[in-house]
Amino acid sequence: MADTLLDDVGGLLRETADQVVLPLFRKLDDADISEKAEGELVTVADRRAEEMISAALRRLRPGSVVVGEEAVADDPAVLDHLHSAGDVWLVDPVDGTSNFAAGRQPFALMVALLTDGEPAAAWVLDPLAGTLAVARAGEGTWLNGRPLRTGDRAPALDALRGAAMSHALPPTSRALVEAGGARLGELLPGQHCAGREYLDVLTGDQDFVLFWRTLPWDHAPGALLVRAAGGVARRLDGADYHPADEGHGLLVAASEQIWADVREALLGAA
């Protein structure tokens, strides 16, 4: 029997977007938005979408565990499951909540599957753009059903375009990045939606993206999508990114060459 997991979860994200998320876009009242931590918003759409996605994922893989962004906000101990054996789902029900709450785009729905602690599959959906990317570790990445490779991209340094969340960097690194950006074609400020940043690396709208905060539900899906397409997702010191690892700083690029060029341009010998 054919394995339909990629299609099943992709369909679940589209269904959740259609039934829960999009009907609430630009329809939220003040009572529908709250602050779960200082500067961290959550909406009724986040909570309802996570409930729907989590229940369906448990049905798809009986015995699996779900680590959802909102579940972790309510009980940080849920995050310990990232080290568990078996199937563990990471869920970001509405990535880009600040955009969503303000009635802006982009925002995304994201899921990653870890099996015995290692990233195995990933999904990112931008429901307004209608863009769905899916991947399996070791097998490849598909964008709206078409196989995608990025690993042979090698633009000249002054043609490279990407985003850097420099506002979140420590002062010394921020100064380096902002100065180094002049060596590149274009350094963008970011879209407040990690899922869209990853999609833009896949589509070629961006060649790279530099993050500082690396919460696992924000980056496990996109990092696997980019890697499975031939790209790179590494810490700033060159160590491979893993969603269970604690730390800060992540540079994602469409290819090895782009990663090396951007790392040197933005951070040099730092």
Side-chain angles (χ1 to χ4, degrees):
M1 187 171 71
D3 183 349
T4 61
L5 182 69
L6 292 182
D7 290 339
D8 290 344
V9 178
L12 167 63
L13 293 186
R14 290 190 185 278
E15 184 180 3
T16 304
D18 290 344
Q19 294 185 13
V20 175
V21 178
L22 293 179
L24 289 168
F25 185 49
R26 296 176 178 160
K27 301 288 179 58
L28 296 172
D29 297 324
D30 288 345
D32 296 328
I33 306 169
S34 58
E35 197 173 58
K36 59 187 177 183
E38 186 176 356
E40 294 285 335
L41 298 180
V42 61
T43 74
V44 64
D46 295 84
R47 296 193 182 282
R48 291 178 183 173
E50 184 164 306
E51 289 171 3
M52 180 173 176
I53 294 168
S54 298
L57 293 177
R58 292 187 186 101
R59 289 194 297 270
L60 275 176
R61 288 281 176 96
S64 62
V65 175
V66 178
V67 176
E69 178 180 4
E70 308 315 328
V72 172
D74 292 338
D75 179 7
V78 172
L79 200 56
D80 294 340
H81 289 296
L82 289 185
H83 301 280
S84 299
D87 291 330
V88 177
W89 304 95
L90 270 164
V91 176
D92 192 339
V94 181
D95 176 55
T97 296
S98 61
N99 289 343
F100 184 85
R104 299 189 304 263
Q105 54 182 304
F107 53 89
L109 288 73
M110 308 199 296
V111 170
L113 173 64
L114 277 59
T115 300
D116 295 331
E118 293 303 318
W123 299 258
V124 174
L125 170 68
D126 179 338
L128 292 178
T131 304
L132 174 65
V134 305
R136 269 193 190 276
E139 295 184 18
T141 298
W142 292 263
L143 188 68
N144 289 338
R146 296 183 178 182
L148 177 73
R149 291 289 298 174
T150 69
D152 58 351
R153 294 184 200 163
L157 188 66
D158 62 2
L160 290 172
R161 182 177 192 269
M165 316 307 154
S166 57
H167 65 280
L169 292 169
T172 301
S173 297
R174 184 187 315 137
L176 284 172
V177 167
E178 291 174 351
R183 301 177 61 193
L184 306 176
E186 188 173 10
L187 189 64
L188 305 167
Q191 303 174 72
H192 304 287
C193 176
R196 187 65 247 181
E197 304 286 0
Y198 281 104
L199 290 175
D200 284 354
V201 171
L202 293 175
T203 62
D205 290 325
Q206 295 184 167
D207 300 300
F208 67 90
V209 56
L210 173 65
F211 300 99
W212 182 244
R213 297 183 68 206
T214 56
L215 295 169
W217 42 81
D218 285 335
H219 299 287
L224 178 53
L225 289 171
V226 169
R227 283 174 169 163
V232 178
R234 295 193 184 120
R235 296 290 187 182
L236 304 186
D237 64 1
D240 281 335
Y241 166 78
H242 190 283
D245 294 339
E246 297 182 4
H248 292 85
L250 175 63
L251 178 58
V252 177
S255 69
E256 287 275 0
Q257 185 62 58
I258 293 171
W259 194 94
D261 288 347
V262 172
R263 172 64 175 75
E264 174 64 24
L266 295 186
L267 293 168

